Amino acid sequence: MKRIFRGGMIVTGSGLKEADLAVEDGKVLEIGSHLDSAGAEVEDVSGKYLFPGFIDAHTHMALEVSGTITADKFDTGTKAEIAGGTTCIIDFATQEKGETLAEALEHWHRKADGQSSCDYAFHLALGDWNEAVSQELEQVVREGISSFKLYMTYDNRVDDKTMYEVLHRLKELGGIAGVHCENHGIIGARLEEVLREKGNRKDVSDYPKTRPAEAEAEAIHRLLKIAKCVDTPVIVVHLSTAQGYREIQRARKEGQVVYVETCPQYLIMEESKYTLPDGKGRNYMIAPPLRTDEDRETLWQALSENQLQTIATDHCSFTEEQKRAGAEDFSRTPCGMPGAEERPAIIYHYGVGKQRLTLEQMCRYLSEGPAKQYRLYPQKGALLPGSDADIVVWNPQTEWMLLADRQQSAADYCPLEGTRLKGRAEKVYLRGELVAQDGVIQKEKTGIYIRH
Ligand code: MN
């Protein structure tokens, strides 16, 4: 069945265009004025924006971490995504120590296949590095995974030699790495300091100083120097600090190619959340932590100057009960927050609505940018003839409120509970099928795996 979206404003990364858009068989058919509606279902979208379905390139669904598993598996987590307008995620399939890459991917397919309400691709988070894994990478890239994740902190962190070797191997294979940049040694020492000085680690307000901005900046600096030796581009994921950004600017000035992702939480929340009473601060424990107003302003400025490439969620959700694991020692709190459903509306409200970003920039950061970065373009991230008919009909007038009991996520709190937003994904189409309307799921578990 052909469907025509009539009279809307089509948003691309490089301009706005008032035009009709026709879709058929799950694909965009054509764009033009006064398209022939014979035999077509016509939907009046005047006064609305049409975005290519948003892409969330940083999610952790069904991740086993800190002795537990994220509250959102692929079922609820991807319902949260489509409710907000995101039609494709790239989740971090994670290799455990001793696993082959094939085993890791098979493990992630078991979690995702048949469960996902949006389309999904995988990055592979490397947790073990040896000659066999290096050899196996070739097969993995050939079969459709081109992006990899490395951690500079946590138990699965890589040392500098491994970082060099992995980047070198990825360069040979045409893959790219996204890196969690924090200095592991500083974090470890600061955690011990808190314990020595206070006798316990109950006070969540001590959390941010255990992961200072310098820890991020140092790791970014070191990563970029290693990448320079290898002579390859890298991605800094979830950039949170002005200091870290300055390292990136310096490297770029010397000619390095550095791609940068940030997340809504680093744009609109800051570290005072950790002083909330009754353990509520744990709900905001993420890594890297929330930062200062100056950091937030720097990130907004960088976005407005087109210096960052993507805005992703780092959706990694836990319930308050799960967060209570850190009641006696905040370092035992599983780190992460939900954010999948609200990301587009937050960027619209605080970015476009406050004149910090244009609609075109919103399209680039949420859709076109991640599609290009991760080789999904123009199947995803574009409304061009032949692109998947992943379409968000955006109503810029809708006013609504973020509330935990209305959200799709299995997390039982909403970090921005009670926040009023203007602008919402009114209708969300996945390959031509209506999957969500005003936050209500219309069709679930129709997502398919996408190679990239
Ligand atoms: Mn993450």
Side-chain angles (χ1 to χ4, degrees), residues 123-412:
H123 313 281
L124 220 172
L126 297 173
D128 202 358
W129 183 246
N130 53 51
E131 189 49 36
V133 171
S134 175
Q135 287 306 315
E136 200 189 356
L137 267 182
E138 186 168 2
Q139 177 79 1
V140 169
V141 171
R142 202 180 317 123
E143 287 178 1
I145 291 186
S146 56
S147 51
F148 298 82
K149 172 88 172 276
L150 296 166
Y151 292 89
M152 296 174 82
T153 185
Y154 301 121
D155 291 343
N156 55 354
R157 68 189 174 278
V158 295
D159 60 21
D160 297 342
K161 176 168 175 280
T162 304
M163 179 69 77
Y164 182 101
E165 290 172 357
V166 174
L167 294 183
H168 193 270
R169 180 65 172 145
L170 290 178
K171 183 185 176 186
E172 283 175 354
L173 298 172
I176 194 162
V179 184
H180 177 129
C181 298
E182 283 186 290
N183 178 299
H184 188 70
I186 295 173
I187 297 168
R190 282 273 170 98
L191 281 169
E192 287 179 17
E193 265 177 35
V194 172
L195 203 52
R196 261 201 316 275
E197 285 167 14
K198 296 202 165 171
N200 64 61
R201 275 192 300 242
K202 286 188 181 175
D203 192 349
V204 182
S205 66
D206 289 326
Y207 173 63
K209 76 177 176 213
T210 66
R211 306 184 91 107
E214 287 75 7
E216 179 173 82
E218 186 283 330
I220 289 174
H221 178 84
R222 186 159 32 103
L223 167 68
L224 297 182
K225 289 302 183 195
I226 297 169
K228 189 168 190 186
C229 291
V230 179
D231 187 24
T232 194
V234 282
I235 305 166
V236 173
V237 299
H238 51 50
L239 177 71
S240 65
T241 61
Q243 273 195 51
Y245 180 55
R246 286 195 281 274
E247 297 294 338
I248 290 159
Q249 285 178 301
R250 259 196 286 279
R252 283 175 172 168
K253 227 170 256 163
E254 292 175 20
Q256 273 188 268
V257 177
V258 189
Y259 301 110
V260 186
E261 167 199 278
T262 192
C263 312
Q265 53 272 33
Y266 299 118
L267 296 167
I268 58 164
M269 288 182 250
E270 47 95 35
E271 63 186 12
S272 64
K273 293 282 190 217
Y274 299 120
T275 64
L276 287 172
D278 307 323
K280 290 286 180 199
R282 283 194 300 272
N283 293 354
Y284 297 88
M285 279 185 66
I286 56 175
L290 298 172
R291 306 294 191 179
T292 66
D293 279 343
E294 187 221 327
D295 293 304
R296 293 194 309 110
E297 280 313 314
T298 300
L299 293 174
W300 276 119
Q301 188 64 27
L303 287 168
S304 75
E305 293 169 357
N306 304 314
Q307 296 301 306
L308 311 186
Q309 280 63 50
T310 62
I311 303 174
T313 59
D314 200 0
H315 183 91
C316 188
S317 61
F318 300 98
T319 62
E320 291 194 309
E321 179 57 34
Q322 288 179 293
K323 289 279 189 181
R324 261 193 283 280
E328 295 301 312
D329 177 350
F330 66 73
S331 75
R332 301 177 75 88
T333 307
C335 275
M337 280 199 298
E341 186 165 338
E342 53 268 47
R343 175 186 65 139
I346 285 174
I347 297 307
Y348 184 82
H349 180 92
Y350 292 99
V352 178
K354 310 257 183 231
Q355 274 98 45
R356 286 163 157 148
L357 299 179
T358 63
L359 285 162
E360 290 93 330
Q361 286 174 317
M362 175 168 161
C363 179
R364 286 209 295 277
Y365 287 126
L366 299 187
S367 191
E368 199 179 284
K372 287 181 172 170
Q373 174 107 70
Y374 297 110
R375 301 183 186 165
L376 299 166
Y377 189 89
Q379 179 188 358
K380 305 290 187 189
L383 293 175
L384 295 168
S387 296
D388 283 355
D390 298 345
I391 297 166
V392 179
V393 178
W394 190 267
N395 189 331
Q397 303 302 333
T398 305
E399 297 191 33
W400 60 299
M401 196 188 277
L402 293 173
L403 293 167
D405 63 7
R406 302 234 185 103
Q407 73 186 4
Q408 299 294 332
S409 170
D412 53 357

Side-chain angles (χ1 to χ4, degrees), residues 28-46:
V28 174
L29 189 62
E30 59 178 328
I31 293 161
S33 44
H34 312 294
L35 293 181
D36 179 14
S37 60
E41 200 174 284
V42 176
E43 185 162 341
D44 177 12
V45 290
S46 47

Side-chain angles (χ1 to χ4, degrees), residues 20-135:
D20 296 346
L21 183 138
V23 307
E24 192 170 40
D25 299 330
K27 300 280 186 190
V28 174
L29 189 62
E30 59 178 328
I31 293 161
S33 44
H34 312 294
L35 293 181
D36 179 14
S37 60
E41 200 174 284
V42 176
E43 185 162 341
D44 177 12
V45 290
S46 47
K48 316 277 167 69
Y49 300 122
L50 298 186
F51 284 96
F54 302 124
I55 297 167
D56 187 355
H58 192 146
T59 69
H60 300 281
M61 307 299 181
L63 178 68
E64 287 139 84
V65 68
S66 303
T68 185
I69 182 164
T70 52
D72 284 311
K73 318 301 184 283
F74 278 84
D75 54 356
T76 54
T78 59
K79 283 203 267 182
E81 296 280 9
I82 58 170
T86 299
T87 50
C88 186
I89 61 171
I90 313 178
D91 197 77
F92 289 100
T94 300
Q95 176 204 25
E96 302 297 334
K97 207 136 193 95
E99 263 186 337
T100 65
L101 300 179
E103 285 165 348
L105 287 170
E106 206 187 290
H107 186 199
W108 237 259
H109 275 293
R110 278 202 303 274
K111 293 171 190 263
D113 294 353
Q115 298 299 310
S116 186
S117 292
C118 62
D119 286 353
Y120 56 101
F122 296 146
H123 313 281
L124 220 172
L126 297 173
D128 202 358
W129 183 246
N130 53 51
E131 189 49 36
V133 171
S134 175
Q135 287 306 315

